[in-house]
Amino acid sequence: MIARRDLLALGAIGWMLPAWADDPLLAVPAAAEQGKLVVGRSRAGAQVRVDGEPVEVGADGAFTFGIAYDRTGSAQIEARSGSRLAHRQVDIMPRIYEVQRINGLPENEVSPPPQVLQRIHDEALAIAQARTRTTDAVWFAGGLDWPVAGIVTSVYGSQRVLDGQPRAPHLGIDIAAPAGTPIRAPADGVVSLIGSDYVLDGNLTLLDHGQGVSTCYVHQSVIAVKLGEHVRRGQRIGTIGVTGRATGPNLHWGLNWFQVKLDPSLSTPTPLPPRA
Ligand SMILES: [Zn+2]
């Protein structure tokens, strides 16, 4: 006999349990790391709130939310279905991030001129706008495959210090591979943004995987998909390049829940590929 509390502790894998498993109204992991895309399970038609804010619930009961890289404490999850109400707490597990020191950048790389700053601003706005999109698709719920085989040169959360000045943490994963190496969709999705020759990101693609979950592909040489196209897991969406601000051919791979930048390597079935 499995105790009810043990079933609840199984959290995100709740839907893998057989039908006799008490049909919980709400199943989430008891704890999750900073940067994690948390996938929970309720039931179709239930109203689910994360920290008081309503989130979408898929036809199969799947819902999701992200934990920011620097968030501490816990997330409060509530599900309501008819007169039934369930509440769970997801404790946030802090991480220790790497520090990356980069020296000797040319001056125009460190402080761009005003017209370039304006472009960077406009491009960031287009990206942020695309990340407001939400649909009831649950393509994120099956996890993410690695989009390319290569060498990881920078991990999520690295604190970058440029010429002694602390900069924003690196909230994605850099994977170096030869130029022209195919990049493949990590899950089904819809192309929600094509960015051509962006200052920082070069050729950029955003994929929408449902419920505000998106992934981004930065520095590509060739983009092989069109805006609005539905892509399948494993489909070639572009190729590794060195466009935008990149020091060599690599993919910057990002995962978002709306504007919250997450760690895609916490959603892949296999751990990080080899480090540089
Ligand atoms: Zn990067």
Side-chain angles (χ1 to χ4, degrees):
M1 186 65 193
I2 301 173
R4 180 181 166 83
R5 64 175 181 277
D6 295 330
L7 291 177
L8 296 173
L10 287 171
I13 61 164
W15 63 82
M16 295 167 65
L17 297 170
W20 49 262
D22 204 20
D23 187 25
L25 173 59
L26 179 57
V28 286
E33 292 175 272
Q34 291 173 330
K36 173 81 175 173
L37 179 72
V38 180
V39 178
R41 173 87 174 181
S42 183
R43 54 174 73 154
Q47 284 101 51
V48 175
R49 286 175 180 268
V50 174
D51 301 316
E53 295 294 325
V55 296
E56 297 204 46
V57 178
D60 65 348
F63 68 92
T64 192
F65 61 97
I67 300 188
Y69 83 102
D70 58 352
R71 184 171 173 191
T72 55
S74 61
Q76 306 299 322
I77 322 300
E78 188 185 279
R80 189 182 292 271
S81 178
S83 60
R84 289 187 62 199
L85 180 68
H87 173 262
R88 306 276 178 270
Q89 175 169 305
V90 178
D91 292 326
I92 297 170
M93 295 186 286
R95 296 167 63 176
I96 294 167
Y97 297 115
E98 293 185 6
V99 176
Q100 254 190 342
R101 293 179 197 284
I102 302 165
N103 294 316
L105 285 182
E107 179 58 28
N108 66 341
E109 291 284 316
V110 178
S111 308
Q115 65 271 29
V116 177
L117 281 176
Q118 184 61 48
R119 270 186 65 196
I120 291 172
H121 171 83
D122 293 347
E123 290 163 1
L125 211 60
I127 294 169
Q129 178 62 36
R131 285 173 173 157
T132 62
R133 212 180 116 108
T134 182
T135 71
D136 58 6
V138 291
W139 295 312
F140 60 84
L144 302 174
D145 292 334
W146 286 96
V148 67
I151 304 289
V152 170
T153 53
S154 183
V155 295
Y156 176 91
S158 311
Q159 180 69 55
R160 285 185 164 173
V161 182
L162 300 185
D163 287 330
Q165 296 181 315
R167 293 298 174 106
H170 179 247
L171 298 182
I173 296 178
D174 292 346
I175 308 169
T181 304
I183 298 166
R184 300 191 180 279
D188 281 21
V190 170
V191 179
S192 53
L193 181 71
I194 299 283
S196 294
D197 199 25
Y198 278 10
V199 175
L200 301 180
D201 296 334
N203 294 326
L204 158 86
T205 304
L206 247 68
L207 299 182
D208 172 1
H209 303 289
Q211 295 190 10
V213 177
S214 66
T215 53
C216 69
Y217 305 83
V218 172
H219 309 311
Q220 298 173 87
S221 55
V222 172
I223 294 173
V225 289
K226 292 187 169 61
L227 188 64
E229 183 176 340
H230 180 190
V231 300
R232 296 283 180 191
R233 180 186 291 262
Q235 180 180 331
R236 176 180 166 276
I237 59 167
T239 57
I240 292 282
V242 67
T243 58
R245 188 173 295 178
T247 50
N250 85 100
L251 171 69
H252 172 97
W253 186 31
L255 168 67
N256 271 59
W257 180 63
F258 297 103
Q259 309 301 329
V260 183
K261 295 183 175 183
L262 305 172
D263 185 350
S265 74
L266 299 180
S267 295
T268 51
T270 53
L272 281 167
R275 293 298 309 278

